[in-house]
Amino acid sequence: MSNRTFTMVKPDATGKGYTGAILDQIIKGGFSIKAMKWLKLTPEQAGAFYEVHKARPFYGELVEFMSSGPIVAAILEKENAVEDFRKLIGATNPAQAEEGTIRKNFAASIGENAVHGSDSDENAAIEGAFFFSRLERF
Ligand code: CMP
């Protein structure tokens, strides 16, 4: 069990002006921010980040969407971070997300689902390192 996870506020949420409210819910959920940046991914960068999903039918759509507008990338810290963050954000499909979760509150569809959360400690470390050098993590 690790105490860090990685998140992105996705282009649907930044575009609708939900960034502040989502970060507020994350912080009120007990997570502290260890690294953060606001940036727009190129299709190549989004494709590389989601390389693991390359064979999936939704890969092209996912890459296009994730490079369509700005995102906020962050490394978060809390005890049991990966599991607790996935509870805070809710199911991948917002229609199945529990009341009060970030995706229930802010997401529109399975593709445009407001936030990303790492699914394992190993991926949290890989994904954090994709965006942040050691000098940018505290
Ligand atoms: P995320 O947690 O960022 O990880 C992979 C993403 O792929 C996921 O959130 C969704 O946004 C997206 N995704 C998963 N399943 C589908 C699907 N059936 N159609 C479109 N996008 C999907």
Side-chain angles (χ1 to χ4, degrees):
M1 181 173 84
S2 147
N3 62 355
R4 288 195 174 196
T5 190
F6 171 79
T7 188
M8 292 181 285
V9 180
K10 298 188 178 184
D12 57 320
T14 62
K16 288 174 186 160
Y18 294 154
T19 305
I22 289 174
L23 294 177
D24 190 52
Q25 190 168 346
I26 290 171
I27 292 163
K28 286 191 174 128
F31 292 84
S32 57
I33 293 165
K34 295 293 159 183
M36 175 170 278
K37 57 177 74 161
W38 168 271
L39 74 158
K40 188 171 174 209
L41 293 169
T42 65
E44 292 71 27
Q45 290 165 337
F49 182 84
Y50 282 113
E51 182 90 41
V52 64
H53 294 304
K54 200 162 188 168
R56 306 280 190 97
F58 58 80
Y59 179 72
E61 192 185 313
L62 176 61
V63 168
E64 190 182 339
F65 165 61
M66 287 303 295
S67 55
S68 67
I71 63 159
V72 175
I75 294 174
L76 304 172
E77 189 169 88
K78 182 184 186 292
E79 204 176 298
N80 199 30
V82 166
E83 199 182 320
D84 285 3
F85 192 68
R86 287 174 73 81
K87 274 187 209 143
L88 182 72
I89 65 179
T92 305
N93 185 347
Q96 287 157 12
E98 277 186 41
E99 275 315 312
T101 59
I102 291 176
R103 283 175 174 151
K104 189 70 175 184
N105 291 345
F106 301 106
S109 67
I110 190 166
E112 304 200 358
N113 63 357
V115 281
H116 168 79
S118 304
D119 63 5
S120 66
D121 291 347
E122 189 192 0
N123 283 336
I126 292 168
E127 292 169 1
F130 184 94
F131 282 91
F132 300 100
S133 76
R134 286 183 64 185
L135 292 174
E136 297 170 310
R137 304 178 224 169
F138 304 101

